[in-house]
Amino acid sequence: MASRILANLLVVGAGVVGRAVIQAYRQALANASKSGVAQESVQNVMRSSKIMLEQEARQILGISEKASWEEVLQKYDTLFQRNAQNGSFYLQSKVHRAKECLESVYGGKSEGTP
């Protein structure tokens, strides 16, 4: 009998808390749309998801426009390993993204590289 009452209290309590959370979420969305926070967050997401430009990729790897694919790979390996040793995952990812960007520029010469 006591377990049945306890179970009913848990079910009713969970329902009340669930409805309160949903109502709070709806109110937060309404407040965000009124203040313009929603639009700002969408703009920030769009700004951060932009693809790296070729010029930026070359600047990160420190290569010129006349560099061969082998030079790109050599600089990539050097910078990637250097940042792996120093523990900078952010810089490692920037170097990797730069190489990915230049792969499309050099067109398919990257087969067989890690």
Side-chain angles (χ1 to χ4, degrees), residues 72-84:
V72 171
L73 290 179
Q74 183 181 12
K75 283 295 250 183
Y76 165 77
D77 289 336
T78 303
L79 292 172
F80 193 85
Q81 290 301 322
R82 190 178 303 157
N83 288 306

Side-chain angles (χ1 to χ4, degrees), residues 60 79-80 83 87-97:
I60 289 171
L79 292 172
F80 193 85
N83 288 306
S88 179
F89 181 74
Y90 174 76
L91 292 177
Q92 243 183 334
S93 66
K94 285 296 238 184
V95 169
H96 185 72
R97 297 291 172 243

Side-chain angles (χ1 to χ4, degrees), residues 52-59 61 63-64 69 72 96-108 110:
M52 183 180 291
L53 299 174
E54 179 185 353
Q55 181 181 3
E56 183 183 2
R58 290 185 184 282
Q59 188 176 20
L61 293 177
I63 58 171
S64 67
W69 179 244
V72 171
H96 185 72
R97 297 291 172 243
K99 178 186 155 249
E100 283 180 340
C101 175
L102 292 176
E103 282 177 346
S104 64
V105 172
Y106 284 89
S110 62

